[in-house]
Amino acid sequence: MEQLALIVGLLFATVLAVGLGDRLKLPYPVLMLLMAMVMTFIPGFPELAIDPELILPVFLPPLLFATAQRSSWQVFQLRWRTLLWLAVGLVVVTTVFVAGAAWLLIPGIGIPAAIALGAMVAPPDPVAVESVAGKVHMPRKLMNILQSEGLFNDAAAIVIFQAAVAATLAGRNLDASLVPKFLLGIVFAVIIGVLMGYAAKLVTWLVTAGVARTAVSLVVPFAAYILAEEVHASGVIAVVVVALEMKRHARPEDASERVSQAAFWDVVELLATGLAFGLVGLDIRQVIHHEGAGIFAMVPAAIAVCAVVVVVRFLWTWLYLSTRRSLYRGDWVGMLKDVVILSYSGMRGLATLALALALPLVLDDGSAFPARDQILVTACAVLLVTLVLPGLTLPALMKVLKAQDDGAEEKEATRMLGRRAQKAAMLALKESELVNQLTPEQQAMMAKRFKSLHLELQGADPEHPGKGLPDDLRERFAKGRELMVAAQTIALDAARQEVLVARKELGMDPEVADHVLRQLDLRTMVMPKTD
C-alpha cells in the first residue's frame, strides 16, 4: 500500500508542478525531479522498489507514441541526414569518447563496461527535450532537429548497451556482430510497427464505440514494444513506426475520436512524464544515499565524463550544421547560435536512468559487475548536468541569444492551410445536390460562414430549434436546419480530407496540419444534431 500511495503522491505532485511551472515559467519535469529528490529527505519517507527492467517498457511506449504522433513519414524522408548524423552518429561517437575517458579514469572498469556507460549516457531523452524545449518558443527548424533525433537515438544506445553488458557478463570483448544485429533489429522493428498499424486500423474499423477506439491507441504502443523486444528487435522503433502508421491511416470522419484521443493523450503524457521524472529524482537520491561518503571519491571521474558528453555534442553538432550550409548562407553567427542551443538541449533523462539501474549486480562467474557504483554515480551526474541545469536556464539562454521564435512562420503556414481547406469545403458544397435544396438566403449564409471557417449556427437555440414558432413554420425550420447541418457535414469532411492529404506532403509541418484538423474537428463536435 505504501508503494501505491507514493505513486499517487507523485501524480498529485505532477499536477502541482505543472501549476508552479506555469507561474515560474519553468519546465515541470525538472521541477518534479527536484521535488522528488527533496522529498526523500523527509524522515521515514518510503523507498519505491520498481524492477529496473520495467521502467523502459512501462514509460517509453506511451511517451514515445505521444511524441511520434506529432510527426509523419514525410518528415523523416526530409530529415534522413539528421537521423544518420544525430540519432545514430552522435550516439556512437559519444559512446566511443565516453568509454575511452572511463577506461582511462576508472580503475578496473574494463572496455565492455566502459562502453555500457558510454551507451547509457549517449542518447538525449525525447521526453525531456519535448517537455523543456517545447515551452521556450524555440525556432521550428531546431525543434524539428531535436524531435527527429530523440525518436530514434534510444534504439542505437540500447542495442550498444545490451551488447556491452552481455560481453561484460561473459568476460569477452565486443565484436563486429553488433552492426548487423542493430540493422536486423531495425528491419524487424519496422515490420512489426507496420503490421501493428494495420491491425490497429482493422480494429478501429470494426469497433464503433469511441471509448474503445481510444483504448486501442493506448494498448497498441505497449503491444508493439513488447512484441519487438521479444524477437530482439528495437521496441523504440516499433512504437515510433506504429504511431506514424496510425496517423497515416487517419480518416476525415473520425472527428469525435480524434478530439477524445487528443484530450486523453494530453493527460496520459502529462502524468506519465511527471511520474517518470519523479522516479528519476527518487532514484538519484537513493543512489547518492547508498554511496554515502564514498561518493566524493567518484566525483572527479563523473565530472570528466560530463565534460566529455557536453564537448562531444557541441563539436558534433557544429560539424553537422556545417554540412547544412544552405540553411545559413554564410550566416556563421546564426549557425553558432543554433549550435549552442542544440548542444544545450541535449538533455538526458528516463533512458539513461533506466539503463543505469538495469546494470546486473554480478557477472556470470559470480564476481561483482566492474565499477558498478561508479557507473551509477556517473550516470546520475550526467543526468543532473544535462537536464537540471539546461532545464532551468534554457529560457534565459534563448532570450540572451535573441533566438526565440515569434511564431510568424507557423501562423502563415496555418493560414495557408486553412485557405486550402476552405477551398475544398466550398468546392464540395458546389458539387453537392443538397445545396440546390437550400434557399438563396441559406446558400449565402453557408458561403459566408465557410469563407471564414466559422461554422456555428447563429440565432437558434441548439436544444430547441424553432421554439415558439407555429407548427407549419417549425416543420419548415427543422427541414431547413437538417439540410444546413447535412451540407456543413459534407463541407467539413471535404476540408478534413484536404488537411489529411496535405499532412502527407513533403514540406508540410505535421503540427500545423494537426492544429487545423483539430479546429475542424471541434467545429464538427459543436454542430447541432439532427433529429
Side-chain angles (χ1 to χ4, degrees):
M1 186 60 72
E2 272 190 352
Q3 306 290 318
L4 180 59
L6 184 54
I7 291 176
V8 173
L10 288 175
L11 294 176
F12 183 71
T14 298
V15 178
L16 296 180
V18 171
L20 184 61
D22 288 341
R23 290 180 177 274
L24 300 179
K25 306 298 181 183
L26 295 174
Y28 78 91
V30 176
L31 294 179
M32 271 300 300
L33 186 149
L34 296 176
M35 288 169 60
M37 291 182 65
V38 171
M39 283 190 293
T40 57
F41 286 97
I42 300 174
F45 192 85
E47 291 189 1
L48 185 61
I50 295 182
D51 188 343
E53 294 185 358
L54 293 179
I55 293 180
L56 288 179
V58 168
F59 288 102
L60 273 187
L63 294 176
L64 277 174
F65 185 83
T67 302
Q69 285 188 111
R70 305 185 187 107
S71 190
S72 66
W73 283 116
Q74 287 67 33
V75 168
F76 291 106
Q77 183 178 344
L78 286 174
R79 302 176 193 166
W80 62 270
R81 291 186 184 88
T82 302
L83 295 176
L84 291 179
W85 273 88
L86 300 181
V88 178
L90 182 53
V91 167
V92 173
V93 171
T94 302
T95 300
V96 170
F97 277 91
V98 168
W103 183 72
L104 292 174
L105 297 173
I106 302 175
I109 189 172
I111 293 178
I115 292 175
L117 171 59
M120 73 175 63
V121 301
D125 194 310
V127 178
V129 171
E130 187 77 18
S131 301
V132 177
K135 304 293 189 297
V136 295
H137 304 291
M138 184 174 290
R140 285 298 306 168
K141 66 177 181 179
L142 300 185
M143 197 65 207
N144 290 339
I145 291 174
L146 292 173
Q147 289 174 335
S148 301
E149 175 191 10
L151 286 176
F152 286 104
N153 56 11
D154 284 348
I158 290 172
V159 169
I160 296 173
F161 174 83
Q162 290 173 338
V165 169
T168 305
L169 293 175
R172 56 180 174 80
N173 289 323
L174 293 175
D175 52 39
S177 64
L178 179 62
V179 175
K181 177 182 178 182
F182 175 64
L183 296 177
L184 192 62
I186 291 177
V187 173
F188 283 152
V190 171
I191 293 174
I192 290 172
V194 171
L195 292 178
M196 290 298 296
Y198 276 103
K201 175 184 176 182
L202 178 62
V203 171
T204 53
W205 279 357
L206 295 176
V207 176
T208 58
V211 175
R213 290 185 178 185
T214 301
V216 169
S217 70
L218 179 62
V219 174
V220 167
F222 289 102
Y225 186 93
I226 294 172
L227 181 58
E229 291 295 321
E230 283 295 316
V231 298
H232 304 290
S234 170
V236 172
I237 292 179
V239 172
V240 172
V241 170
V242 77
L244 297 176
E245 281 294 291
M246 289 180 70
K247 273 293 185 180
R248 187 171 70 88
H249 295 314
R251 303 183 301 178
E253 62 267 26
D254 294 335
S256 59
E257 284 80 5
R258 273 192 296 271
V259 172
S260 62
Q261 286 183 22
F264 170 78
W265 275 102
D266 284 344
V267 174
V268 169
E269 188 176 10
L270 184 145
L271 293 179
T273 301
L275 180 59
F277 281 94
L279 293 176
V280 170
L282 292 178
D283 284 320
I284 288 177
R285 177 69 187 110
Q286 288 174 13
V287 168
I288 295 174
H289 179 72
H290 177 264
E291 298 303 329
I295 197 173
F296 293 105
M298 304 177 185
V299 169
I303 292 176
V305 169
C306 291
V308 170
V309 168
V310 172
V311 171
V312 167
R313 181 172 180 82
F314 179 87
L315 294 178
W316 191 262
T317 303
W318 179 293
L319 184 61
Y320 164 67
L321 292 185
S322 296
T323 66
R324 308 295 303 276
R325 295 180 179 179
S326 59
L327 294 176
Y328 299 99
R329 303 184 185 280
D331 182 12
W332 293 102
V333 175
M335 191 185 80
L336 179 59
K337 287 183 179 180
D338 290 351
V339 169
V340 172
I341 293 171
L342 290 175
S343 302
Y344 211 71
S345 301
M347 303 165 195
R348 275 59 175 179
L350 186 63
T352 295
L353 178 74
L355 292 179
L357 296 178
L359 280 175
L361 293 173
V362 296
L363 304 181
D364 291 344
D365 59 6
S367 60
F369 194 94
R372 186 178 189 276
D373 291 344
Q374 175 72 71
I375 292 175
L376 289 176
V377 171
T378 302
C380 290
V382 172
L383 261 174
L384 292 173
V385 169
T386 61
L387 176 60
V388 176
L389 181 61
L392 296 178
T393 59
L394 184 60
L397 176 67
M398 297 292 291
K399 290 182 180 179
V400 170
L401 296 179
K402 297 180 180 179
Q404 290 179 308
D405 190 3
D406 59 3
E409 183 177 348
E410 188 173 351
K411 290 178 182 177
E412 177 62 18
T414 301
R415 186 179 67 84
M416 295 299 294
L417 184 56
R419 284 188 174 183
R420 181 172 166 179
Q422 166 199 314
K423 290 180 180 179
M426 295 298 294
L427 180 62
L429 280 175
K430 290 179 180 179
E431 294 176 350
S432 173
E433 296 181 357
L434 285 176
V435 175
N436 298 327
Q437 302 179 41
L438 299 176
T439 65
E441 292 78 9
Q442 289 173 329
Q443 293 181 22
M445 182 184 299
M446 185 74 69
K448 181 179 179 181
R449 289 174 180 175
F450 271 97
K451 283 182 179 179
S452 61
L453 287 180
H454 182 73
L455 309 178
E456 291 85 3
L457 292 174
Q458 298 176 352
D461 182 350
E463 297 296 330
H464 304 285
K467 181 179 180 180
L469 296 176
D471 290 343
D472 58 337
L473 293 180
R474 186 184 300 114
E475 291 178 3
R476 292 172 54 189
F477 183 93
K479 182 179 179 181
R481 174 177 172 276
E482 290 175 359
L483 289 174
M484 288 280 285
V485 171
Q488 289 183 71
T489 300
I490 292 173
L492 276 171
D493 282 346
R496 283 195 295 268
Q497 179 62 44
E498 188 66 22
V499 174
L500 289 173
V501 169
R503 195 182 191 278
K504 301 175 184 178
E505 296 174 354
L506 285 175
M508 172 58 64
D509 188 334
E511 293 194 38
V512 170
D514 289 342
H515 173 74
V516 175
L517 186 62
R518 178 172 176 79
Q519 297 305 312
L520 294 171
D521 289 342
L522 289 174
R523 293 171 192 273
T524 300
M525 296 292 291
V526 301
M527 273 200 327
K529 305 297 182 183
T530 56
D531 296 330

